[in-house]
Coordinates of all heavy atoms in Angstrom, one line a residue:
M847 N 0.8 -1.2 0.0 CA 0.0 0.0 0.0 C 0.9 1.3 0.0 O 0.5 2.2 -0.7 CB -0.9 0.0 1.2 CG -1.9 1.1 1.2 SD -3.0 1.0 -0.2 CE -4.5 0.9 0.5
G848 N 2.0 1.2 0.8 CA 2.8 2.4 0.8 C 3.4 2.7 -0.5 O 3.4 3.9 -0.9
N849 N 3.8 1.7 -1.3 CA 4.4 2.0 -2.6 C 3.3 2.5 -3.6 O 3.6 3.4 -4.4 CB 5.0 0.8 -3.2 CG 6.4 0.5 -2.6 OD1 7.1 1.4 -2.2 ND2 6.7 -0.8 -2.4
L850 N 2.1 2.0 -3.5 CA 1.0 2.6 -4.3 C 0.7 4.0 -4.0 O 0.6 4.8 -4.9 CB -0.3 1.7 -4.1 CG -0.2 0.3 -4.7 CD1 -1.5 -0.4 -4.3 CD2 -0.1 0.3 -6.2
K851 N 0.7 4.4 -2.7 CA 0.5 5.8 -2.4 C 1.6 6.6 -2.8 O 1.4 7.8 -3.3 CB 0.3 5.9 -0.8 CG -1.1 5.3 -0.4 CD -1.3 5.5 1.1 CE -2.6 4.8 1.5 NZ -3.6 5.7 2.0
H852 N 2.8 6.1 -2.8 CA 4.0 6.9 -3.2 C 3.9 7.1 -4.7 O 4.2 8.2 -5.2 CB 5.3 6.1 -2.9 CG 6.5 6.9 -3.2 ND1 7.2 6.6 -4.3 CD2 7.1 7.9 -2.6 CE1 8.3 7.4 -4.3 NE2 8.2 8.3 -3.3
Q853 N 3.4 6.1 -5.5 CA 3.3 6.2 -6.9 C 2.3 7.3 -7.3 O 2.4 7.9 -8.4 CB 2.9 4.9 -7.5 CG 4.0 3.9 -7.5 CD 3.6 2.5 -8.1 OE1 2.4 2.3 -8.5 NE2 4.5 1.6 -8.0
V854 N 1.3 7.5 -6.5 CA 0.3 8.6 -6.8 C 0.6 9.9 -6.1 O -0.2 10.8 -5.9 CB -1.2 8.1 -6.5 CG1 -1.6 7.0 -7.4 CG2 -1.4 7.8 -5.1
E855 N 1.9 10.0 -5.7 CA 2.4 11.2 -5.1 C 1.8 11.6 -3.8 O 1.6 12.7 -3.5 CB 2.4 12.3 -6.1 CG 3.3 12.0 -7.3 CD 3.3 13.1 -8.3 OE1 2.9 14.3 -8.0 OE2 3.8 12.8 -9.4
N856 N 1.4 10.6 -3.0 CA 0.9 10.8 -1.6 C 1.9 10.3 -0.7 O 1.8 9.2 -0.1 CB -0.4 10.0 -1.5 CG -1.1 10.2 -0.1 OD1 -0.5 10.9 0.8 ND2 -2.2 9.6 0.1
L857 N 3.0 11.1 -0.5 CA 4.1 10.7 0.3 C 3.7 10.6 1.8 O 4.1 9.6 2.4 CB 5.2 11.8 0.2 CG 6.6 11.4 0.9 CD1 7.1 10.1 0.4 CD2 7.6 12.5 0.6
S858 N 3.0 11.4 2.3 CA 2.6 11.3 3.7 C 1.7 10.0 3.9 O 1.9 9.3 4.9 CB 1.8 12.5 4.3 OG 0.6 12.7 3.5
G859 N 0.9 9.7 3.0 CA 0.1 8.5 3.1 C 1.0 7.2 2.9 O 0.7 6.2 3.6
A860 N 2.0 7.3 2.1 CA 2.9 6.2 1.9 C 3.7 6.0 3.2 O 3.9 4.8 3.6 CB 3.9 6.5 0.8
I861 N 4.1 7.0 3.8 CA 4.9 6.9 5.1 C 4.0 6.3 6.2 O 4.4 5.4 6.9 CB 5.4 8.3 5.5 CG1 6.5 8.7 4.6 CG2 5.9 8.3 7.0 CD1 7.0 10.2 4.8
E862 N 2.8 6.8 6.3 CA 1.8 6.2 7.3 C 1.5 4.8 7.0 O 1.5 4.0 8.0 CB 0.5 7.0 7.3 CG -0.4 6.6 8.4 CD 0.1 6.7 9.8 OE1 0.9 7.6 10.0 OE2 -0.3 5.9 10.6
A863 N 1.3 4.4 5.8 CA 1.1 3.0 5.4 C 2.2 2.1 5.8 O 2.0 1.0 6.4 CB 0.8 2.9 3.9
L864 N 3.4 2.5 5.6 CA 4.6 1.7 5.9 C 4.8 1.7 7.4 O 5.2 0.6 8.0 CB 5.8 2.3 5.2 CG 6.0 1.8 3.8 CD1 7.0 2.6 3.0 CD2 6.3 0.3 3.8
R865 N 4.5 2.7 8.1 CA 4.6 2.7 9.6 C 3.6 1.6 10.1 O 3.9 0.9 11.1 CB 4.3 4.0 10.2 CG 5.5 5.0 10.1 CD 5.3 6.3 10.8 NE 6.6 7.0 10.8 CZ 6.6 8.3 10.7 NH1 5.6 9.1 10.5 NH2 7.8 8.9 10.7
K866 N 2.4 1.6 9.6 CA 1.4 0.6 10.0 C 1.8 -0.8 9.7 O 1.6 -1.7 10.5 CB 0.0 1.0 9.4 CG -0.6 2.2 10.1 CD -2.0 2.4 9.4 CE -2.6 3.7 10.1 NZ -3.9 4.0 9.5
A867 N 2.4 -0.9 8.5 CA 2.9 -2.3 8.1 C 4.0 -2.7 9.0 O 4.0 -3.9 9.4 CB 3.4 -2.2 6.7
L868 N 4.9 -1.8 9.5 CA 5.9 -2.2 10.4 C 5.4 -2.5 11.8 O 6.0 -3.3 12.5 CB 7.0 -1.1 10.5 CG 8.1 -1.1 9.5 CD1 9.0 0.1 9.5 CD2 9.0 -2.4 9.6
E869 N 4.3 -2.0 12.1 CA 3.7 -2.4 13.4 C 3.3 -3.8 13.4 O 3.4 -4.5 14.3 CB 2.4 -1.5 13.7 CG 2.7 -0.1 14.1 CD 1.5 0.8 14.3 OE1 0.4 0.2 14.3 OE2 1.6 2.0 14.5
Q870 N 2.8 -4.3 12.2 CA 2.4 -5.7 12.0 C 3.6 -6.6 11.8 O 3.5 -7.8 12.2 CB 1.4 -5.8 10.8 CG 0.2 -5.0 10.9 CD -0.7 -5.4 12.1 OE1 -0.9 -6.5 12.4 NE2 -1.1 -4.4 12.9
E871 N 4.6 -6.1 11.2 CA 5.8 -6.9 10.9 C 7.0 -6.1 11.2 O 7.7 -5.6 10.3 CB 5.8 -7.3 9.4 CG 4.7 -8.2 9.0 CD 4.8 -8.6 7.5 OE1 5.9 -9.1 7.1 OE2 3.9 -8.4 6.8
P872 N 7.4 -6.0 12.5 CA 8.4 -5.1 12.9 C 9.8 -5.5 12.5 O 10.7 -4.6 12.5 CB 8.4 -5.1 14.5 CG 7.6 -6.3 14.8 CD 6.7 -6.6 13.6
N873 N 10.0 -6.7 12.0 CA 11.3 -7.1 11.5 C 11.4 -7.2 10.0 O 12.3 -7.9 9.5 CB 11.7 -8.4 12.2 CG 12.0 -8.3 13.6 OD1 12.5 -7.2 14.1 ND2 11.6 -9.2 14.4
N874 N 10.5 -6.6 9.3 CA 10.5 -6.6 7.8 C 11.5 -5.6 7.3 O 11.3 -4.4 7.3 CB 9.1 -6.4 7.3 CG 9.0 -6.6 5.8 OD1 9.8 -6.0 5.0 ND2 8.0 -7.4 5.4
L875 N 12.6 -6.1 6.8 CA 13.7 -5.3 6.3 C 13.3 -4.4 5.2 O 13.6 -3.2 5.1 CB 14.9 -6.2 6.0 CG 16.2 -5.4 5.6 CD1 16.7 -4.6 6.7 CD2 17.2 -6.4 5.1
S876 N 12.5 -5.0 4.3 CA 12.1 -4.2 3.1 C 11.2 -3.0 3.5 O 11.4 -1.9 2.9 CB 11.3 -5.2 2.2 OG 10.8 -4.5 1.0
Y877 N 10.3 -3.2 4.4 CA 9.5 -2.1 4.9 C 10.4 -1.0 5.5 O 10.2 0.2 5.3 CB 8.5 -2.6 5.9 CG 7.4 -3.5 5.4 CD1 6.6 -4.1 6.3 CD2 7.1 -3.7 4.1 CE1 5.5 -5.0 5.9 CE2 6.1 -4.5 3.6 CZ 5.3 -5.1 4.6 OH 4.3 -6.0 4.2
M878 N 11.4 -1.4 6.3 CA 12.3 -0.5 7.0 C 13.0 0.4 6.0 O 13.1 1.6 6.1 CB 13.3 -1.2 7.9 CG 12.7 -1.7 9.1 SD 14.1 -2.4 10.1 CE 13.1 -3.4 11.2
I879 N 13.6 -0.3 5.0 CA 14.4 0.4 4.0 C 13.5 1.4 3.2 O 13.9 2.5 2.9 CB 15.2 -0.5 3.1 CG1 16.3 -1.3 3.9 CG2 15.8 0.2 1.9 CD1 17.0 -2.4 3.2
T880 N 12.4 0.9 2.8 CA 11.5 1.7 2.0 C 11.0 2.9 2.8 O 10.9 4.1 2.3 CB 10.3 0.9 1.4 OG1 10.8 -0.2 0.7 CG2 9.4 1.8 0.6
L881 N 10.6 2.7 4.1 CA 10.2 3.8 4.9 C 11.3 4.8 5.1 O 11.1 6.0 5.0 CB 9.7 3.3 6.3 CG 9.4 4.3 7.3 CD1 8.2 5.2 6.8 CD2 9.0 3.7 8.7
G882 N 12.5 4.3 5.3 CA 13.7 5.2 5.4 C 13.8 6.1 4.1 O 14.1 7.3 4.2
D883 N 13.7 5.5 3.0 CA 13.7 6.2 1.7 C 12.7 7.3 1.6 O 12.9 8.4 1.2 CB 13.6 5.3 0.5 CG 14.8 4.4 0.3 OD1 15.9 4.6 0.9 OD2 14.6 3.4 -0.5
F884 N 11.4 6.9 2.0 CA 10.3 7.9 1.9 C 10.5 9.0 3.0 O 10.3 10.2 2.7 CB 9.0 7.2 2.2 CG 8.6 6.3 1.1 CD1 7.4 5.5 1.3 CD2 9.2 6.2 -0.1 CE1 7.0 4.6 0.3 CE2 8.8 5.3 -1.1 CZ 7.7 4.5 -0.9
L885 N 11.1 8.7 4.1 CA 11.3 9.7 5.1 C 12.4 10.7 4.6 O 12.3 11.9 4.8 CB 11.7 9.1 6.5 CG 10.6 8.4 7.2 CD1 11.2 7.6 8.4 CD2 9.6 9.3 7.7
L886 N 13.4 10.1 4.0 CA 14.5 11.0 3.4 C 13.8 11.9 2.3 O 14.2 13.1 2.3 CB 15.5 10.1 2.7 CG 16.7 9.6 3.5 CD1 17.5 8.7 2.7 CD2 17.5 10.8 4.0
E887 N 13.0 11.4 1.5 CA 12.3 12.1 0.5 C 11.5 13.3 1.1 O 11.4 14.4 0.5 CB 11.5 11.2 -0.4 CG 10.9 11.9 -1.6 CD 10.1 11.0 -2.5 OE1 10.3 9.8 -2.5 OE2 9.2 11.5 -3.2
N888 N 11.0 13.0 2.3 CA 10.2 14.0 3.0 C 11.0 14.9 3.9 O 10.5 15.7 4.7 CB 9.1 13.3 3.8 CG 7.9 14.1 4.1 OD1 7.4 14.9 3.2 ND2 7.3 14.0 5.3
K889 N 12.3 14.8 3.8 CA 13.3 15.6 4.6 C 13.1 15.3 6.1 O 13.4 16.2 6.9 CB 13.2 17.0 4.2 CG 13.6 17.3 2.8 CD 13.5 18.8 2.4 CE 14.1 19.1 1.1 NZ 13.6 18.4 0.0
E890 N 12.7 14.1 6.5 CA 12.6 13.8 7.9 C 13.9 13.0 8.2 O 13.9 11.7 8.3 CB 11.4 12.9 8.1 CG 10.1 13.7 7.9 CD 8.8 12.9 8.2 OE1 8.8 12.1 9.2 OE2 7.9 13.0 7.4
F891 N 15.0 13.7 8.3 CA 16.3 13.1 8.4 C 16.5 12.2 9.6 O 17.0 11.1 9.6 CB 17.4 14.1 8.3 CG 17.4 14.9 7.0 CD1 17.3 16.3 7.1 CD2 17.4 14.3 5.8 CE1 17.2 17.0 5.9 CE2 17.3 15.0 4.6 CZ 17.2 16.4 4.7
M892 N 16.0 12.7 10.8 CA 16.2 11.9 12.0 C 15.4 10.6 11.9 O 15.9 9.6 12.3 CB 15.8 12.8 13.2 CG 16.0 12.0 14.5 SD 17.7 11.5 14.8 CE 18.5 13.1 15.1
G893 N 14.2 10.7 11.5 CA 13.3 9.5 11.4 C 13.9 8.5 10.4 O 13.9 7.3 10.7
A894 N 14.5 9.0 9.3 CA 15.2 8.1 8.4 C 16.4 7.5 9.0 O 16.6 6.3 8.8 CB 15.6 8.9 7.1
Q895 N 17.1 8.3 9.8 CA 18.3 7.7 10.4 C 18.0 6.6 11.4 O 18.6 5.6 11.4 CB 19.1 8.8 11.1 CG 19.7 9.8 10.1 CD 20.2 11.1 10.8 OE1 20.4 11.2 12.0 NE2 20.3 12.1 10.0
V896 N 17.0 6.8 12.2 CA 16.6 5.8 13.2 C 16.1 4.6 12.5 O 16.5 3.5 12.8 CB 15.5 6.4 14.1 CG1 14.8 5.3 15.0 CG2 16.1 7.5 15.0
T897 N 15.2 4.8 11.5 CA 14.7 3.6 10.8 C 15.7 2.8 10.1 O 15.8 1.6 10.2 CB 13.6 4.1 9.7 OG1 12.6 4.8 10.5 CG2 13.0 2.9 9.0
L898 N 16.6 3.5 9.4 CA 17.7 2.8 8.7 C 18.7 2.2 9.6 O 19.3 1.1 9.3 CB 18.3 3.7 7.6 CG 17.3 4.1 6.5 CD1 17.9 5.3 5.7 CD2 17.1 2.9 5.6
A899 N 19.0 2.8 10.7 CA 19.9 2.2 11.7 C 19.3 0.9 12.2 O 20.0 -0.1 12.4 CB 20.2 3.2 12.8
N900 N 18.0 0.9 12.4 CA 17.3 -0.3 12.9 C 17.5 -1.4 11.8 O 17.7 -2.6 12.1 CB 15.9 -0.1 13.2 CG 15.7 0.7 14.5 OD1 16.6 0.7 15.4 ND2 14.6 1.3 14.6
A901 N 17.4 -1.0 10.6 CA 17.6 -1.9 9.5 C 19.0 -2.5 9.5 O 19.1 -3.7 9.2 CB 17.2 -1.3 8.1
T902 N 20.0 -1.7 9.7 CA 21.4 -2.2 9.7 C 21.6 -3.1 10.9 O 22.4 -4.1 10.8 CB 22.4 -1.1 9.7 OG1 22.3 -0.3 10.9 CG2 22.3 -0.2 8.5
K903 N 20.9 -2.9 12.0 CA 21.0 -3.8 13.2 C 20.4 -5.2 12.9 O 20.9 -6.2 13.3 CB 20.4 -3.2 14.4 CG 21.2 -2.0 15.0 CD 20.4 -1.4 16.1 CE 21.2 -0.1 16.5 NZ 20.4 0.7 17.4
L904 N 19.2 -5.1 12.2 CA 18.5 -6.3 11.8 C 19.3 -7.2 10.8 O 19.3 -8.4 10.9 CB 17.1 -6.0 11.3 CG 16.2 -7.1 10.9 CD1 15.9 -8.0 12.1 CD2 15.0 -6.6 10.2
A905 N 19.9 -6.5 9.8 CA 20.6 -7.2 8.8 C 21.9 -6.4 8.5 O 22.0 -5.6 7.5 CB 19.7 -7.2 7.5
P906 N 22.9 -6.6 9.3 CA 24.2 -5.9 9.2 C 24.9 -6.1 7.8 O 25.8 -5.3 7.4 CB 25.0 -6.4 10.3 CG 24.4 -7.5 10.9 CD 23.0 -7.5 10.5
E907 N 24.5 -7.2 7.1 CA 25.2 -7.5 5.8 C 24.5 -6.8 4.7 O 24.9 -6.8 3.5 CB 25.2 -9.0 5.6 CG 23.8 -9.6 5.2 CD 22.8 -9.7 6.3 OE1 23.1 -9.5 7.5 OE2 21.6 -9.9 6.0
N908 N 23.4 -6.1 4.9 CA 22.6 -5.5 3.8 C 23.2 -4.2 3.4 O 23.1 -3.2 4.1 CB 21.1 -5.3 4.3 CG 20.2 -4.9 3.2 OD1 20.3 -3.7 2.7 ND2 19.4 -5.8 2.7
E909 N 23.8 -4.2 2.2 CA 24.4 -3.0 1.7 C 23.5 -1.8 1.5 O 23.9 -0.7 1.7 CB 25.1 -3.3 0.4 CG 26.3 -4.3 0.6 CD 26.8 -4.8 -0.7 OE1 26.5 -4.3 -1.8 OE2 27.7 -5.7 -0.7
L910 N 22.3 -2.1 1.0 CA 21.4 -1.0 0.7 C 21.0 -0.2 2.0 O 20.9 1.0 2.0 CB 20.1 -1.6 0.0 CG 19.1 -0.5 -0.4 CD1 19.7 0.5 -1.3 CD2 17.9 -1.2 -1.0
A911 N 20.8 -1.0 3.1 CA 20.5 -0.3 4.4 C 21.6 0.6 4.8 O 21.4 1.8 5.2 CB 20.2 -1.3 5.4
W912 N 22.9 0.2 4.6 CA 24.0 1.0 5.0 C 24.2 2.2 4.1 O 24.5 3.3 4.6 CB 25.3 0.2 5.0 CG 25.4 -0.8 6.2 CD1 25.2 -2.1 6.2 CD2 25.7 -0.4 7.5 NE1 25.4 -2.6 7.5 CE2 25.7 -1.6 8.3 CE3 26.0 0.8 8.2 CZ2 25.9 -1.5 9.7 CZ3 26.2 0.8 9.5 CH2 26.2 -0.3 10.3
I913 N 24.0 2.0 2.8 CA 24.2 3.1 1.9 C 23.1 4.2 2.1 O 23.4 5.4 2.2 CB 24.1 2.6 0.4 CG1 25.3 1.8 0.1 CG2 23.9 3.8 -0.6 CD1 25.2 1.0 -1.2
N914 N 21.8 3.7 2.3 CA 20.8 4.7 2.6 C 21.0 5.4 3.9 O 20.6 6.6 4.0 CB 19.4 4.0 2.5 CG 19.1 3.5 1.1 OD1 19.8 3.7 0.2 ND2 17.9 2.9 1.0
L915 N 21.5 4.7 4.9 CA 21.8 5.3 6.2 C 22.9 6.4 6.0 O 22.8 7.5 6.5 CB 22.3 4.3 7.2 CG 22.7 4.8 8.6 CD1 21.5 5.6 9.2 CD2 23.1 3.7 9.5
G916 N 23.9 6.1 5.2 CA 24.9 7.1 4.8 C 24.3 8.3 4.2 O 24.6 9.5 4.5
V917 N 23.4 8.1 3.2 CA 22.7 9.2 2.6 C 21.9 10.0 3.6 O 21.9 11.3 3.6 CB 21.8 8.7 1.4 CG1 20.9 9.8 0.9 CG2 22.6 8.1 0.3
A918 N 21.2 9.4 4.5 CA 20.4 10.1 5.5 C 21.4 11.0 6.4 O 21.0 12.1 6.7 CB 19.7 9.1 6.4
F919 N 22.5 10.4 6.8 CA 23.4 11.2 7.6 C 24.0 12.4 6.7 O 24.1 13.5 7.2 CB 24.6 10.4 8.1 CG 24.2 9.5 9.3 CD1 24.6 8.2 9.3 CD2 23.6 10.0 10.4 CE1 24.3 7.4 10.4 CE2 23.3 9.2 11.5 CZ 23.6 7.9 11.5
Q920 N 24.3 12.1 5.5 CA 24.9 13.1 4.6 C 24.0 14.3 4.4 O 24.4 15.4 4.5 CB 25.4 12.5 3.3 CG 26.1 13.4 2.4 CD 26.6 12.7 1.1 OE1 26.5 11.5 1.0 NE2 27.1 13.5 0.2
R921 N 22.7 14.0 4.2 CA 21.8 15.0 3.9 C 21.5 15.9 5.2 O 21.1 17.0 5.1 CB 20.4 14.5 3.4 CG 20.6 14.0 2.0 CD 19.3 13.7 1.3 NE 19.5 13.1 0.0 CZ 18.6 12.5 -0.6 NH1 17.4 12.3 -0.1 NH2 18.8 12.0 -1.8
D922 N 21.8 15.3 6.3 CA 21.6 16.0 7.6 C 22.9 16.6 8.1 O 23.1 17.0 9.2 CB 21.1 15.0 8.7 CG 20.5 15.6 9.9 OD1 20.1 16.8 9.8 OD2 20.4 15.0 10.9
K923 N 23.9 16.6 7.1 CA 25.2 17.3 7.4 C 26.0 16.6 8.5 O 26.8 17.2 9.2 CB 25.1 18.8 7.7 CG 24.2 19.6 6.8 CD 24.9 19.9 5.5 CE 24.1 20.9 4.7 NZ 23.5 20.3 3.5
K924 N 25.8 15.3 8.7 CA 26.5 14.5 9.7 C 27.5 13.7 8.9 O 27.4 12.5 8.7 CB 25.6 13.7 10.5 CG 24.6 14.5 11.4 CD 23.7 13.5 12.1 CE 22.7 14.4 13.0 NZ 21.7 13.5 13.6
L925 N 28.6 14.4 8.4 CA 29.5 13.7 7.5 C 30.3 12.6 8.1 O 30.6 11.6 7.4 CB 30.4 14.8 6.8 CG 29.6 15.9 6.1 CD1 30.5 16.9 5.4 CD2 28.6 15.3 5.1
D926 N 30.7 12.8 9.3 CA 31.5 11.7 10.0 C 30.7 10.4 10.1 O 31.1 9.3 9.8 CB 32.0 12.1 11.3 CG 33.1 13.1 11.2 OD1 33.8 13.2 10.2 OD2 33.3 13.9 12.2
D927 N 29.4 10.6 10.5 CA 28.5 9.4 10.6 C 28.3 8.8 9.2 O 28.2 7.6 9.0 CB 27.2 9.8 11.2 CG 27.3 10.2 12.7 OD1 28.2 9.6 13.4 OD2 26.6 11.0 13.2
A928 N 28.1 9.7 8.2 CA 27.9 9.2 6.8 C 29.1 8.4 6.3 O 28.9 7.3 5.7 CB 27.7 10.4 5.9
K929 N 30.3 8.8 6.6 CA 31.5 8.1 6.2 C 31.5 6.7 6.8 O 31.9 5.7 6.2 CB 32.8 8.8 6.6 CG 33.0 10.1 5.8 CD 34.2 10.8 6.3 CE 34.4 12.2 5.6 NZ 35.5 12.9 6.2
V930 N 31.2 6.6 8.1 CA 31.1 5.3 8.8 C 30.1 4.4 8.1 O 30.4 3.2 7.9 CB 30.8 5.5 10.3 CG1 30.6 4.1 10.9 CG2 32.0 6.2 11.0
A931 N 28.9 4.9 7.8 CA 27.9 4.1 7.2 C 28.3 3.7 5.8 O 28.0 2.5 5.5 CB 26.6 4.9 7.2
Y932 N 28.9 4.6 5.1 CA 29.3 4.2 3.7 C 30.4 3.1 3.8 O 30.5 2.2 3.0 CB 29.8 5.4 2.9 CG 28.7 6.3 2.5 CD1 28.9 7.7 2.6 CD2 27.5 5.9 2.0 CE1 28.0 8.6 2.2 CE2 26.5 6.8 1.5 CZ 26.8 8.1 1.6 OH 25.8 9.0 1.2

């Protein structure tokens, strides 16, 4: 549902749908990464950082989670943290 709302340019609806989906499946890595992406797009840097950090804890081998976490830190001007994530 989150991706559908995003496709019709309803970013806040997409974020809310993914948050609800994560309540049902709190360890769903795909939901976490997608929510982090949507939060970044919405310039909610802290929320994106928290969400993506949780994704890296759940799956430390997942490159996409680390890269997106680096982007979240970089956009928030936390360059040292971004370097570590990258």
Side-chain angles (χ1 to χ4, degrees):
M847 187 60 122
N849 285 325
L850 290 174
K851 289 185 183 239
H852 186 257
Q853 288 176 3
V854 296
E855 299 181 14
N856 181 356
L857 186 55
S858 62
I861 290 169
E862 183 61 30
L864 279 165
R865 284 186 171 141
K866 287 181 182 179
L868 272 171
E869 287 176 10
Q870 300 299 313
E871 295 182 53
N873 292 324
N874 187 308
L875 185 63
S876 178
Y877 292 168
M878 285 182 197
I879 292 173
T880 303
L881 177 58
D883 288 346
F884 291 173
L885 291 169
L886 273 174
E887 187 176 334
N888 205 40
K889 296 181 174 53
E890 295 181 41
F891 302 124
M892 183 58 69
Q895 291 164 22
V896 169
T897 302
L898 293 165
N900 287 337
T902 63
K903 289 175 189 168
L904 180 65
E907 74 290 345
N908 189 288
E909 295 173 6
L910 184 58
W912 285 105
I913 290 168
N914 290 1
L915 180 58
V917 171
F919 283 133
Q920 186 175 352
R921 289 194 185 161
D922 199 21
K923 311 281 191 251
K924 297 178 181 176
L925 299 183
D926 289 335
D927 292 328
K929 289 177 189 176
V930 170
Y932 288 138

